[in-house]
């Protein structure tokens, strides 16, 4: 690679905009032009939507040319419609929160911890499973309660 190409790759990587599979982009503009860079994920995604919406290409044809599934195309289109250009950016995968540890579950666990002479985390996990029908690892409950305590606002001011 030339030094200028290395700089661009580093620039894109630092902004989490480096396309992980640029070799999958088979669109003719990205193959023939130096302006269109298949390593720039934002440009690839924007051009993919533009091909469909402005040039009228079918979703299947467009998705195939840009190396994505039709389902992913529709997800990007929806994200673009609701969030604009930022919606085309890469997203963190996986769950965004502890979905099994709802407020109701954590209230139950906290109440049980305060009422009883410190029941074991395994016992609490079994009680949660029998009461709520949700199987949660004991360590997950423990971590969720610690996180909850950290997020409670202070009632007394900090000492100087």
């Amino acid at each position: 690679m030339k030094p200028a190409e290395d700089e661009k790759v580093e620039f894109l990587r630092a902004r989490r905009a480096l396309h992980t599979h640029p070799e999958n982009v088979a669109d003719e503009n990205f193959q023939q032009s130096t302006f269109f860079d298949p390593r720039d994920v934002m440009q690839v995604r924007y051009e993919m939507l533009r091909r469909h919406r402005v040039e009228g290409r079918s979703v299947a044809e467009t998705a195939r040319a840009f190396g994505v599934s039709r389902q992913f195309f529709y997800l990007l289109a929806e994200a673009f419609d609701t969030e604009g250009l930022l919606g085309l950016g890469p997203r963190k995968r996986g769950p965004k929160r502890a979905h099994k540890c709802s407020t109701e579950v954590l209230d139950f666990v906290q109440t049980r911890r305060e009422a009883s002479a410190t029941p074991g985390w395994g016992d609490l996990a079994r009680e949660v499973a029998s009461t709520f029908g949700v199987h949660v690892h004991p360590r997950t409950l423990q971590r969720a309660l610690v996180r909850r305590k950290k997020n409670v606002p202070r009632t007394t001011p900090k000492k100087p």
Side-chain angles (χ1 to χ4, degrees), residues 5-140:
E5 289 180 352
D6 289 340
E7 287 178 20
K8 183 166 185 181
V9 167
E10 289 307 314
F11 178 84
L12 293 171
R13 184 177 287 122
R15 284 149 185 83
R16 294 182 40 226
L18 183 64
H19 198 304
T20 54
H21 295 287
E23 69 277 2
N24 292 347
V25 180
D27 182 74
E28 63 272 1
N29 285 349
F30 283 87
Q31 301 302 313
Q32 300 169 356
S33 171
T34 57
F35 174 78
F36 293 105
D37 188 353
R39 298 172 303 174
D40 186 343
V41 73
M42 296 292 283
Q43 186 180 43
V44 169
R45 290 176 177 180
Y46 181 81
E47 281 301 311
M48 178 176 63
L49 291 177
R50 196 187 70 72
R51 292 275 191 286
H52 170 68
R53 291 181 175 180
V54 175
E55 295 179 12
R57 293 190 185 175
S58 73
V59 171
E61 176 189 356
T62 305
R64 192 172 28 259
F66 284 86
V68 300
S69 67
R70 286 178 300 119
Q71 292 83 357
F72 187 70
F73 176 90
Y74 287 118
L75 285 174
L76 278 179
E78 182 180 337
F80 182 73
D81 290 341
T82 57
E83 301 173 45
L85 281 175
L86 293 178
L88 298 180
R91 303 282 170 116
K92 186 176 179 182
R93 294 179 179 212
K96 307 301 182 256
R97 61 180 180 84
H99 60 280
K100 291 183 179 181
C101 295
S102 65
T103 304
E104 187 179 22
V105 168
L106 291 179
D107 288 343
F108 173 80
V109 171
Q110 192 166 10
T111 303
R112 291 287 294 126
R113 293 266 312 158
E114 293 167 357
S116 178
T118 318
W121 291 104
D123 296 333
L124 285 172
R126 283 188 285 282
E127 286 184 43
V128 167
S130 65
T131 306
F132 297 97
V134 176
H135 296 283
V136 183
H137 193 276
R139 184 70 177 124
T140 302

Side-chain angles (χ1 to χ4, degrees), residues 143-159:
R143 287 180 179 145
L145 281 183
V146 168
R147 244 188 335 269
R148 181 185 239 197
K149 285 180 185 176
K150 286 181 181 179
N151 293 332
V152 173
R154 282 182 178 257
T155 54
T156 58
K158 282 176 125 177
K159 292 182 181 179

